[in-house]
Amino acid sequence: MRDLKDLTRPNIWVLSPYSSARDEYSGHDGHVFLDANENPYNSPLNRYPDPLQRDVKPLIAKHKGVSENQIFLGNGSDEAIDLVYRCFTVPHQDNVVAIDPTYGMYKVCADINDVEYRPVSLNAHFQMSANKMLAACDQNTKVIWICSPNNPSGNLIDKVEIEKVLMSFDGIVVIDEAYSDFSRQRPFRLELNRYPHLIVLNTMSKAWGCAAIRMGMAFANEEIIKIFNKVKYPYNVNLLTQQKAKEILSSPYDVERWVSMLIEERDRLIRAFKLLPVCEKIYPTDANFFLAKMTDAKSIYNYLINKGIIVRNRSRIHLCDNCLRITIGTKGENTQLLAALRQYC
Ligand SMILES: *Cc1c(COP(=O)(O)O)cnc(C)c1O
């Protein structure tokens, strides 16, 4: 295992972060705030929000089974993905290794940061070989990206292979668990104390039904969280988002109900898809979507658009020839999709 200092970009390791008025005084006892050049009128929107979201983190810690100092909150998981590059990789020098296919933002952020991205193909069942991932690494590999349940395939990546990567790789391992609420497997975020260089990503955008508020989470050892907090924009999560996040975290029973309805609907849709003449194969899924191999994905995709039903055409993605990715909707929406596909000829 390499030291965190050795993995961090040298300029980031020595960075003194911007110190905001709310960093210098964050207590609740003051009642005359003349320190941040805010307008005293138009409460509560006149005040800068808490840069460290201290009212939100205890609720997240409780739900997610991690401690408050193991939590970073950002403007969607996308912010955490970008921060991984900005904190740990030197452009033109370092590289990252990722499963392929997977979520597109890992590559886009590599390109934006001018960092070499090394995709390693999954097998025909969308499973990862730890040995293949490790063989793609060299002394400049700083990060390995794994997504489980994976997008766009929907399946969980084999736990034993992930553990092998975690045990053998000496850099940062990111596991994106955006869809773990839809799976019964024990999430890797509960293993943080065993793996000091593990970063787990979660989001409010999927099971929590809050894509609009833009709140993503990274869970990691406290030292990594401190580096993220140093580099992020001072007020990266706005007040309205923090308030809405607290609300939804206070009514987790809605989320549990949504998840069980969606899983039930997913199973119904998959059973029905298997009977469709236009569907050749459904890949196993632990997410709120599934990947379906069709007879002719492009024309079925266009046919559905004409009926006002939008799915995702993944045909041009590695290993996803003729595949559509279907998100589970409400019962009524799913029924419309099935009715349309039954009429297709
Ligand atoms: C949808 C998704 C996210 C969520 O990104 P946000 O920026 O939090 O909305 C993250 N990772 C994966 C794999 C996803 O599919």
Side-chain angles (χ1 to χ4, degrees):
M1 200 55 72
R2 291 161 74 180
D3 284 353
L4 196 56
K5 180 176 180 199
D6 186 36
L7 289 169
T8 305
R9 265 179 86 165
N11 61 311
I12 298 302
W13 187 258
V14 301
L15 176 75
S16 7
Y18 175 73
S19 180
S20 66
R22 281 298 163 273
D23 285 320
E24 286 176 19
Y25 180 82
S26 63
H28 290 289
D29 343 322
H31 61 281
V32 179
F33 285 99
L34 306 177
D35 59 345
N37 298 348
E38 296 152 338
N39 185 327
Y41 306 109
N42 202 32
S43 175
L45 296 183
N46 58 328
R47 298 296 175 192
Y48 281 103
D50 178 0
L52 293 173
Q53 309 93 21
R54 274 164 287 217
D55 290 344
V56 188
K57 283 179 184 167
L59 297 169
I60 292 183
K62 183 170 140 251
H63 281 291
K64 301 289 185 175
V66 300
S67 63
E68 285 170 46
N69 59 18
Q70 292 175 319
I71 303 173
F72 163 83
L73 298 181
N75 185 342
S77 322
D78 293 342
E79 180 179 2
I81 293 168
D82 191 47
L83 277 174
V84 167
Y85 287 101
R86 294 165 68 205
C87 295
F88 299 113
T89 60
V90 178
H92 294 290
Q93 175 188 305
D94 293 335
N95 65 71
V96 305
V97 166
I99 59 170
D100 183 32
T102 192
Y103 186 48
M105 278 306 282
Y106 316 142
K107 165 120 185 4
V108 171
C109 286
D111 291 347
I112 289 170
N113 288 284
D114 218 350
V115 166
E116 184 195 347
Y117 185 85
R118 299 183 173 180
V120 174
S121 182
L122 298 173
N123 70 18
H125 305 289
F126 292 111
Q127 277 305 334
M128 175 184 82
S129 148
N131 288 340
K132 250 178 108 175
M133 297 293 280
L134 296 165
C137 297
D138 61 19
Q139 71 281 5
N140 292 324
T141 306
K142 290 290 194 64
V143 180
I144 290 183
W145 292 96
I146 297 169
C147 181
S148 178
N150 191 24
N151 180 1
S153 51
N155 62 306
L156 282 164
I157 302 297
D158 186 346
K159 197 176 171 131
V160 173
E161 294 299 299
I162 296 180
E163 282 166 348
K164 202 159 160 188
V165 168
L166 284 166
M167 304 291 269
S168 317
F169 180 57
D170 62 4
I172 302 279
V173 177
V174 184
I175 306 178
D176 189 339
E177 295 190 325
Y179 299 99
S180 61
D181 301 86
F182 299 101
S183 166
R184 276 198 237 291
Q185 185 168 295
R186 181 180 163 86
F188 273 94
R189 70 166 187 273
L190 300 177
E191 313 294 339
L192 284 183
N193 297 331
R194 283 172 61 195
Y195 304 110
H197 294 170
L198 169 62
I199 299 174
V200 173
L201 304 182
N202 269 205
T203 178
M204 302 288 278
S205 300
K206 307 287 158 61
W208 290 77
C210 286
I213 72 172
R214 309 307 302 133
M215 184 181 275
M217 301 155 230
F219 305 122
N221 134 357
E222 185 178 3
E223 299 311 309
I224 292 179
I225 298 302
K226 280 188 190 154
I227 297 174
F228 281 176
N229 283 337
K230 206 157 86 147
V231 175
K232 75 179 186 73
Y233 290 158
Y235 304 109
N236 61 328
V237 180
N238 71 67
L239 177 74
L240 302 177
T241 294
Q242 295 190 37
Q243 287 175 340
K244 279 287 166 196
K246 273 192 282 180
E247 260 175 52
I248 189 82
L249 285 158
S250 308
S251 55
Y253 303 107
D254 284 337
V255 177
E256 281 178 26
R257 197 164 43 82
W258 294 333
V259 167
S260 58
M261 285 191 308
L262 290 170
I263 291 175
E264 208 175 291
E265 274 298 294
R266 178 184 76 196
D267 297 345
R268 175 175 83 96
L269 257 189
I270 289 176
R271 279 195 305 274
F273 257 69
K274 284 182 173 161
L275 301 175
L276 291 171
V278 289
C279 176
E280 291 190 343
K281 181 179 174 133
I282 303 286
Y283 290 92
T285 179
D286 262 65
N288 65 332
F289 63 86
F290 62 91
L291 192 68
K293 193 183 263 312
M294 310 300 278
T295 48
D296 183 352
K298 186 146 191 265
S299 61
I300 296 166
Y301 172 77
N302 288 326
Y303 163 83
L304 288 173
I305 286 183
N306 277 323
K307 302 235 161 199
I309 299 170
I310 321 300
V311 299
R312 196 88 194 263
N313 184 1
R314 300 281 74 186
S315 298
R316 284 194 305 263
I317 303 284
H318 178 58
L319 302 179
C320 301
D321 194 34
N322 262 322
C323 286
L324 298 179
R325 194 191 68 189
I326 317 283
T327 305
I328 312 304
T330 62
K331 198 175 173 73
E333 290 168 338
N334 303 333
T335 299
Q336 283 183 56
L337 170 67
L338 286 174
L341 286 174
R342 285 181 185 129
Q343 282 167 24
Y344 179 85
C345 46

